[in-house]
Each structure stands twice: as structure tokens, then as C-alpha cells.
Amino acid sequence: MAEFTMELNEDQKQVQEWIHGFAADVIRPAAAEWDEREETPWPVIQEAAKVGIYSLDFYAQQFFDPTGLGIPMAMEELFWGDAGIALSIVGTGLAAIGVVANGTEEQIGTWIPQMYGTPDDVKVAAFCSSEPDAGSDVGSMRTRAVYDQAKDEWVLNGTKTWATNGGIANVHIVVAVVDPELGTKGHASFIVPPNTPGLSQGQKFKKHGIRASHTAEVVLEDVRVPGSCLLGGKEKLDERLARARERAEAGGGERVKNAAMATFEASRPAVGAMAVGTARAAYEVALDYAKTRTQFGRPIIDNQGVAFQLADMRTQIDAARLLVWRASWMAVAGKPFTSAEGSMSKLFASEVAKKVTAQAVQILGGNGFTREYPVERMHRDSAIYTIFEGTSEIQRLVIARTLSGMPIR
């Protein structure tokens, strides 16, 4: 187990500088264009693939960093560049996490490479959990998966929404209900291979922020996938469902995690790091502006009203990063989130991003309200962090229930 340290090692610093350079040289110059176009920035993703940032190997190296800081460090730098483009680059990772968290070694080896493709033919993947009537309330999920024993196939029907890369993905990971009587414990995850009949893209959403990231509905109509596409396999699923039924009959007992919750729990500190990156970017723009913008014969940073805002912004950003790093280190060290530290990091960092970007707009005044300056876009982008992968209200619920010992459903 790696000892916790506040200092990145030399290898991590080199990776950090490399990603920062890509974010500064490739992502930032393209940010405004793709935000306006509201389209997936395929050329930027391809550039990321060519240099090795958009690849299975890169994310594996960061994921298996023994300090746990590889992923949050990478996310912060990419999202410092631009949240919309960065999400297009890392969105496949959520689907990959779903496979790693719930799949067999064979499934991991077979499907994750297909999620990324090659530098000459890049692909993306989508994780499909939310539904029109089941966002935060995963217990209301209606997408069904029924096993056809004669053909060893699962038949999926339903509609998913808010799916990053939904409909344009090469591989979709779909969470569905296999036993409605068990509530969230009756869920399972399925791999939907490329070009599977019955899967189609529904509505593509026009969003307030992160507009370079494709978000859409995914419609499943009698989608048949082989039995081997059930993440973890049927034997493992049957055992888990049997235990859940026994506990239900016994009146509760030990909690059983469902597939979607396992994926989100693993990814929340990474989302916190994304928020830190956006907040840091806005803070740096505001700081530079305050140093050079003069009013009444002096730089506006000489005014306490501005200087104190910048002091608070920097303090909150550093505090958010520390919570993210703590949760990330705990996860890799095998330490349980006894106080919902993963949710804490995501909650605090996402709220900081919204506040800091709003303060940056205020410091830039009228300029901050225009698209000539990037803080306007950063402020719009920041709103998503308090919403996706569990709203701030859900994070508070998870934290409160963890502290009280109540079950997290």
C-alpha cells in the first residue's frame, strides 16, 4: 500500500506536464468552436489518440497508479483545458469503469479495446443508466432484460437518457432490471455490441454547458445480446439474486450493491477532479485579469473586494483537490468509505466549481458575461458537476445515510 503524500513523484509530474501541454495546445484553442457547434470533436479525440491520451493503456496506467492520484491528476488537467471537449475524451471511461467494476477478465479484455478503437479509427463507448423517470431514483428503472434460455440470449427493452455518447458509441453498457421484485438489487449490466439490431439513438439534447460532449437518449427495442454479454456472467448474477432474496425474506440484513451504484461509487472522485480543473481554469483567468485590468488608476486586484474573492477561490479549489486526492488514495489503498468520502469529494468540488466560476464572471464584469472570454463558458460548464453522476442532493443523502448507518438505496 502506497503511503499518502502531498507531493507528486517525478513520473507523475512528467505525465501532468504532458497532459497540461496537450490541454493548452490542442484542447483550449478548439474549445470555443466546438462549444458553438455542439458536436463531438472527433478531430481532437483523434489527436488525443495519436499522442496516447485517448487509449486503454493510458487510462490503465493512471488507474493502477499505486498512489491513486493518476486519474484525478489527469482529469484535472484535461478539464482545465475545456470541460466539453475533455468529457468527449474521457466519456468512454465511465463505460470502461462499468466493465472493470462488474465484468470478468475475459469481458474486460474483449470489450474495452473495442471501446477506444485505434488512432486511425477512434471509437467511443456509452454507459446507459438514467431513464426519463429514473435518474437519481435508480429504483424506478424500467428497462427490462429477460433471459431467453433456449437461445442463451438476453432481450432488452426500454429507453435510457442522458447517455454520454449515447447512440454514436461503438459499445453501449446498459443497466437493466432482471428481477423487479428486488428493487435496485435486481439490476444487472449488459454489453451491447456494435451494430446490434434494435438499439437506436433517440433525442440528442441541446445543453446549457459541456456542449461539445454528445448527450442523447438510447432506445432499446427487443435488443438481443448473447449470454456472454451479461457483465460478470449468469452464474454470478444468479448467486447475487439468491442472496438478495434470502436477505429480503429475512427482513433486510447486509446491503448489496447494484451495478450502477458500483460504477458511480468508483467514478465520483474523478468527477470531483474534473470540477477542480474547471474551477482552477476560471480562477486563473480571473487572477490574470485582475492583475492587468485597471480602474481608478490601479489594478483591480488592489481592491479588497476583488482580492478577497480570489483568496477564497484559491482556498476552496485547494480544499476540493485535497478531498479528491484523499478519496482517490483511500480507494486504491483499499480503505472503505466509512463516511462516504467519495461522495464528499464530488459534492464539495462540484459546488466549488459553480461558485468559483460565478465569481470569475463577476470579477471580469461585463467582459465575463460575453463569449469573448472563456469564463462565460466555464460557468455554463460547471453546472453539470452538481447534476450528473449523482446530484449534490443525492451526495448529501449518501453521506448522511452513511454517517447514520441507514441503508443506501
Side-chain angles (χ1 to χ4, degrees), residues 143-215:
T143 297
R144 291 292 307 275
V146 178
Y147 184 57
D148 183 342
Q149 187 171 2
K151 295 183 178 180
D152 186 26
E153 292 180 340
W154 288 90
V155 184
L156 279 62
N157 281 283
T159 299
K160 294 296 182 178
T161 193
W162 310 122
T164 299
N165 299 328
I168 65 171
N170 195 47
V171 177
H172 291 76
I173 304 301
V174 177
V175 182
V177 179
V178 294
D179 190 332
E181 294 182 359
L182 292 177
T184 59
K185 300 177 181 66
H187 294 179
S189 290
F190 298 86
I191 302 160
V192 181
N195 303 315
T196 298
L199 184 147
S200 62
Q201 178 183 309
Q203 175 187 6
K204 178 187 174 183
F205 296 104
K206 296 181 72 68
K207 305 187 297 295
H208 174 66
I210 55 165
R211 301 197 304 194
S213 174
H214 176 96
T215 310

Side-chain angles (χ1 to χ4, degrees), residues 208-232:
H208 174 66
I210 55 165
R211 301 197 304 194
S213 174
H214 176 96
T215 310
E217 291 181 330
V218 174
V219 180
L220 304 140
E221 296 179 311
D222 291 331
V223 172
R224 286 182 169 269
V225 299
S228 60
C229 287
L230 166 64
L231 284 176

Side-chain angles (χ1 to χ4, degrees), residues 109-394:
T110 299
W111 294 106
I112 291 185
Q114 296 187 49
M115 294 179 173
Y116 289 95
T118 67
D120 294 326
D121 185 21
V122 293
K123 306 292 184 182
V124 295
F127 182 75
C128 308
S129 177
S130 293
E131 298 184 1
D133 296 319
S136 298
D137 182 12
V138 294
S140 296
M141 189 176 293
R142 295 180 181 177
T143 297
R144 291 292 307 275
V146 178
Y147 184 57
D148 183 342
Q149 187 171 2
K151 295 183 178 180
D152 186 26
E153 292 180 340
W154 288 90
V155 184
L156 279 62
N157 281 283
T159 299
K160 294 296 182 178
T161 193
W162 310 122
T164 299
N165 299 328
I168 65 171
N170 195 47
V171 177
H172 291 76
I173 304 301
V174 177
V175 182
V177 179
V178 294
D179 190 332
E181 294 182 359
L182 292 177
T184 59
K185 300 177 181 66
H187 294 179
S189 290
F190 298 86
I191 302 160
V192 181
N195 303 315
T196 298
L199 184 147
S200 62
Q201 178 183 309
Q203 175 187 6
K204 178 187 174 183
F205 296 104
K206 296 181 72 68
K207 305 187 297 295
H208 174 66
I210 55 165
R211 301 197 304 194
S213 174
H214 176 96
T215 310
E217 291 181 330
V218 174
V219 180
L220 304 140
E221 296 179 311
D222 291 331
V223 172
R224 286 182 169 269
V225 299
S228 60
C229 287
L230 166 64
L231 284 176
K234 193 166 187 306
E235 182 178 348
K236 183 177 179 181
L237 172 65
D238 289 342
E239 291 175 356
R240 178 166 62 83
L241 295 178
R243 290 196 303 271
R245 292 187 191 101
E246 290 175 2
R247 292 188 178 101
E249 291 172 359
E254 182 183 352
R255 296 196 299 267
V256 180
K257 292 179 183 176
N258 67 74
M261 290 294 287
T263 300
F264 290 138
E265 184 175 313
S267 64
R268 277 172 180 158
V271 176
M274 298 173 189
V276 171
T278 298
R280 186 182 119 214
Y283 158 76
E284 290 176 1
V285 172
L287 177 62
D288 289 343
Y289 186 88
K291 288 178 178 179
T292 57
R293 173 69 168 173
T294 58
Q295 289 285 283
F296 305 106
R298 60 180 182 176
I300 62 173
I301 198 171
D302 287 350
N303 299 314
Q304 275 192 357
V306 173
F308 283 10
Q309 281 194 78
L310 289 164
D312 286 344
M313 292 159 73
R314 177 59 187 267
T315 300
Q316 291 163 357
I317 291 167
D318 283 8
R321 183 184 298 108
L322 289 174
L323 281 173
V324 168
W325 282 19
R326 180 184 69 167
S328 301
W329 173 78
M330 288 178 67
V332 78
K335 294 184 178 296
F337 290 165
T338 55
S339 299
E341 287 84 355
S343 289
M344 281 185 186
S345 68
K346 197 266 186 186
L347 168 65
F348 189 78
S350 60
E351 295 289 345
V352 164
K354 283 188 67 174
K355 184 175 182 180
V356 166
T357 55
Q359 289 175 302
V361 170
Q362 190 69 25
I363 289 171
L364 269 68
N367 286 328
F369 201 65
T370 71
R371 294 187 183 180
E372 296 299 314
Y373 288 80
V375 293
E376 179 271 341
R377 185 180 66 253
M378 294 169 183
H379 183 42
R380 286 188 286 108
D381 290 342
S382 70
I384 194 60
Y385 299 124
T386 62
I387 297 172
F388 73 172
E389 294 200 46
T391 64
S392 288
E393 292 74 20
I394 289 296

